[in-house]
């Protein structure tokens, strides 16, 4: 069974096609049915009457849906539970024209090949901004055979969402979709609003009733607020910058080479002239690790000032370098929104494939393994220098000079047992570890990250940053000179 991720709907849909004989068995529901108030999911398509493939909006039990290259079929060749199912041909799409409230934790979609048609592929796309933009969630799914197969997408969406199902192959093959279930933390979802609405960033200060308000922006370098005894919450923006602001970054757009970008998932010191972050800081605890699938929705960061160059996924195309995460996708799997945030291009750096996929992947897994064993970690990662060696050889910049390829990539992990009053414990707990790594951005790199262990002092000397500035000076001095063995389990 596939377990990709949740999606929302946005449409620029194509029109086409007149009703054919294969659609003739579709019968319209009564006007009384169409006038009924929105019902909770699942959407079964039983109240629909759209009998042609042409683009149109259709009132269904759960709310209005947009159909393009799609209809509601009720012929014996439509594989369905009940009397009707959606049928898509060519590159057909069906999309919600309404939101469901925040708190969606599971979407289930059943699919089958129409009649005896060849297999088709399709994708689930989600919108978190009222239909203004969409991002694919999970992997492309291939559907074959006449039996309806449910596909489950799990995670937590902290904003209202809407979904779109996009058929992506098989011009001569048709696809049945039926029984779309959207489940929230309180039960089946119900429509919360229709039409395109303001995006998350426009509405962040005035959340809709029933939705979760975004976390507030913290002061420059506060300590983390303690969680109630016996509980653990996902990391907050205050915790993500708890060890200090390494470069003194500010949120003034005029400070383009040292711009502070605060998110609930991580905090960035961004260098617009280099097109990459100087550093990224975050906290990792057990509550940050869950079942949300990898979103893979690399995209420009809409929170950057308009005058900054917007690095995109295409900036890295055919460069021989990976889009290397600073804050990894695997460190933010508690919910879909947190995982999606890690794919913003402000969190990326051009990274040699072997460096990214082996050395750093193994180090990231090591960190998460410590968390699963009862530790929590404060992480700061960054890069410096100019020029690295990727799959295509040595390169200094990408995207016509807009993105600098760094020469070195580093990370500091401050590891301590789970608990409260972390800044105080960093000064007194002998179990605290400081693991610092500094690697060349080179595709011929040795794959064991332990070969690159160093101290915070040496990274500071190379970068000019002040990495543990929130700690007392004597604590800084003691921790920054440590060189970890990398062997503790």
């Amino acid at each position: 069974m596939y377990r990709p991720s949740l999606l929302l709907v946005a449409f620029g849909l194509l029109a086409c096609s007149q009703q054919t004989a294969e659609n003739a068995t579709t019968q319209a529901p009564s006007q009384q049915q169409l006038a009924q108030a929105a019902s909770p999911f699942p959407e079964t398509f039983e109240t629909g009457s759209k009998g042609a493939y042409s683009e149109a909006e259709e009132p269904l039990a759960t709310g209005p849906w947009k159909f393009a290259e799609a209809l509601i079929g009720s012929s014996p060749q439509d594989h369905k539970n009940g009397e009707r199912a959606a049928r898509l041909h060519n590159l057909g799409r069906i999309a919600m024209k309404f939101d469901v409230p925040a708190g969606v934790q599971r979407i289930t979609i059943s699919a089958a090949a129409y009649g005896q048609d060849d297999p088709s592929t399709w994708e689930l796309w989600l919108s978190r901004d009222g239909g203004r933009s969409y991002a694919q969630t999970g992997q492309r799914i291939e559907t074959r055979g006449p039996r309806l197969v449910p596909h489950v997408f799990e995670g937590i969406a902290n904003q209202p969402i809407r979904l779109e199902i996009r058929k992506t192959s098989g011009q001569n093959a048709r696809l049945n979709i039926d029984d779309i279930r959207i489940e929230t933390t309180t039960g089946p979802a119900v429509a919360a609003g229709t039409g395109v609405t303001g995006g998350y960033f426009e509405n962040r200060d005035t959340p809709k009733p029933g939705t979760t308000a975004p976390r507030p922006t913290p002061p420059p370098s506060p300590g983390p607020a303690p969680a109630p005894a016996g509980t653990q919450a996902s990391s907050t923006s205050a915790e993500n910058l708890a060890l200090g602001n390494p470069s003194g970054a500010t949120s003034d757009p005029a400070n383009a080479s040292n711009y502070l970008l605060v998110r609930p998932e991580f905090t960035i010191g961004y260098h617009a002239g280099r097109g990459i972050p100087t550093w990224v800081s975050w906290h990792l605890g057990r509550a940050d690790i869950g079942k949300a699938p990898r979103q893979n929705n690399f995209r420009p960061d809409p929170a950057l000032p308009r005058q900054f160059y917007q690095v995109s996924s295409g900036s890295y195309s055919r460069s021989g370098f990976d889009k290397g995460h600073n804050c990894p996708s695997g460190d933010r799997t508690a919910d879909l929104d947190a995982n999606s945030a890690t794919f913003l291009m402000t969190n990326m750096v051009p990274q040699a494939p072997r460096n990214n996929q082996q050395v750093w992947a193994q180090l990231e897994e090591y960190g998460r393994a410590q968390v699963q064993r009862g530790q929590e970690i404060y992480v700061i990662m960054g890069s410096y220098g100019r020029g690295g060696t990727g799959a295509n050889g040595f390169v200094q910049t990408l995207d016509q000079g807009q993105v600098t390829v760094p020469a070195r990539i580093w990370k500091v992990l401050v590891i301590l047992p789970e608990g409260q009053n972390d800044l105080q414990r960093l000064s007194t707990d002998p179990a605290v570890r400081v693991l610092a790594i500094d690697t060349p951005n080179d595709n011929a790199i040795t794959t064991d990250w332990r070969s690159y262990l160093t101290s915070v002092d040496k990274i500071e000397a190379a970068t000019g940053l002040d990495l543990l500035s929130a700690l007392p000076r004597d604590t800084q001095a003691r921790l920054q000179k440590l060189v970890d063995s990398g062997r503790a389990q």
Side-chain angles (χ1 to χ4, degrees):
M1 178 180 293
Y2 284 87
R3 293 189 177 273
S5 50
L6 308 179
L7 307 130
L8 297 178
V9 181
F11 278 36
L13 299 177
L14 305 172
C16 269
S17 198
Q18 298 179 349
Q19 182 171 351
T20 62
E22 65 179 277
N23 310 324
T25 57
T26 300
Q27 298 179 1
S30 68
Q31 291 301 313
Q32 180 179 1
Q33 287 176 306
L34 294 177
Q36 288 178 342
S39 300
F41 278 80
E43 179 53 68
T44 62
F45 302 98
E46 294 299 300
T47 65
S49 61
K50 187 176 187 296
Y53 285 117
S54 56
E55 180 179 345
E57 194 168 300
E58 178 75 2
L60 296 175
T62 55
W65 288 67
K66 185 77 170 286
F67 284 64
E69 303 271 13
L71 54 77
I72 295 175
S74 59
S75 77
Q77 296 300 306
D78 285 293
H79 302 295
K80 53 197 179 294
N81 292 320
E83 298 296 323
R84 295 175 175 82
R87 186 197 313 156
L88 289 67
H89 79 161
N90 295 339
L91 300 178
R93 302 183 182 189
I94 58 173
M96 293 160 49
K97 297 296 290 180
F98 58 93
D99 290 330
V100 294
V104 170
Q105 61 181 7
R106 184 178 297 107
I107 296 175
T108 306
I109 300 171
S110 294
Y114 171 82
Q116 300 298 315
D117 282 10
D118 290 336
S120 294
T121 58
W122 57 277
E123 298 168 348
L124 178 60
W125 288 66
L126 293 178
S127 174
R128 294 176 174 83
D129 56 8
R132 294 181 185 274
S133 63
Y134 289 82
Q136 183 183 346
T137 183
Q139 303 297 314
R140 180 172 293 181
I141 295 173
E142 182 181 71
T143 290
R144 60 175 65 234
R147 183 173 63 88
L148 282 169
V149 176
H151 300 272
V152 180
F153 303 78
E154 290 186 322
I156 297 293
N158 291 330
Q159 287 88 42
I161 63 168
R162 59 181 65 184
L163 67 81
E164 177 177 274
I165 297 169
R166 302 181 180 182
K167 187 173 180 290
T168 56
S169 75
Q171 290 191 343
N172 297 318
R174 290 153 292 185
L175 174 71
N176 280 131
I177 297 290
D178 203 3
D179 292 348
I180 300 174
R181 301 178 184 274
I182 302 181
E183 301 168 63
T184 72
T185 52
T186 58
V190 182
T194 62
V196 175
T197 62
Y200 168 71
F201 289 103
E202 290 91 329
N203 295 331
R204 64 187 183 274
D205 296 323
T206 55
K208 297 178 183 178
T211 66
T212 302
R215 301 180 181 100
T217 299
S221 57
T231 68
Q232 188 185 45
S234 296
S235 297
T236 66
S237 51
E239 290 174 305
N240 293 333
L241 204 60
L243 298 187
N245 184 327
S247 62
T250 70
S251 56
D252 181 358
N255 193 12
S257 64
N258 195 21
Y259 182 73
L260 184 66
L261 186 57
V262 179
R263 294 188 170 279
E265 300 82 13
F266 45 79
T267 300
I268 295 174
Y270 189 72
H271 196 305
R274 289 167 64 87
I276 57 175
T278 301
W279 54 266
V280 180
S281 180
W282 68 99
H283 174 265
L284 177 62
R286 279 188 299 169
D288 298 305
I289 302 174
K291 296 182 179 180
R294 181 182 172 94
Q295 295 298 287
N296 277 325
N297 54 341
F298 295 96
R299 63 203 187 279
D301 192 335
L304 283 180
R306 291 185 179 181
Q307 64 267 37
F308 289 9
Y309 182 76
Q310 278 283 10
V311 178
S312 69
S313 178
S315 299
Y316 288 59
S317 295
R318 297 180 296 279
S319 67
F321 288 88
D322 286 359
K323 296 182 286 290
H325 285 70
N326 282 263
C327 179
S329 165
D331 283 9
R332 292 292 182 256
T333 55
D335 62 65
L336 293 174
D337 295 325
N339 189 263
S340 178
T342 68
F343 290 90
L344 293 165
M345 293 304 295
T346 50
N347 185 43
M348 301 298 149
V349 64
Q351 196 166 4
R354 190 174 184 185
N355 184 301
N356 179 43
Q357 298 169 25
Q358 297 186 38
V359 182
W360 287 96
Q362 292 167 16
L363 176 60
E364 291 162 7
E365 289 294 339
Y366 176 85
R368 288 189 287 271
Q370 306 314 303
V371 169
Q372 299 289 12
R373 294 184 175 97
Q375 306 293 300
E376 58 181 304
I377 308 178
Y378 290 90
V379 190
I380 312 170
M381 179 172 169
S383 57
Y384 63 96
R386 181 183 177 93
T389 304
N392 301 334
F394 181 80
V395 176
Q396 291 191 345
T397 64
L398 311 180
D399 195 6
Q400 299 181 332
Q402 298 289 350
V403 180
T404 296
V405 177
R408 309 282 302 189
I409 301 175
W410 57 268
K411 179 179 280 189
V412 171
L413 297 88
V414 179
I415 307 171
L416 68 163
E418 281 182 359
Q420 300 180 19
N421 302 315
D422 289 355
L423 294 187
Q424 178 182 342
R425 292 192 298 125
L426 287 173
S427 299
T428 59
D429 192 335
V432 171
R433 297 172 59 200
V434 178
L435 196 158
I437 304 293
D438 188 352
T439 71
N441 192 15
D442 193 320
N443 218 34
I445 192 172
T446 300
T447 57
D448 186 356
W449 56 265
R450 294 176 179 85
S451 301
Y452 303 99
L453 286 161
T454 185
S455 67
V456 174
D457 276 338
K458 289 185 178 180
I459 292 176
E460 287 187 336
T463 62
L465 299 174
D466 188 0
L467 297 180
L468 305 179
S469 60
L471 298 178
R473 288 192 178 275
D474 58 342
T475 302
Q476 285 187 58
R478 177 174 57 84
L479 296 180
Q480 289 179 178
K481 67 182 180 182
L482 299 178
V483 178
D484 196 89
S485 68
R487 302 296 174 184
Q489 300 295 321

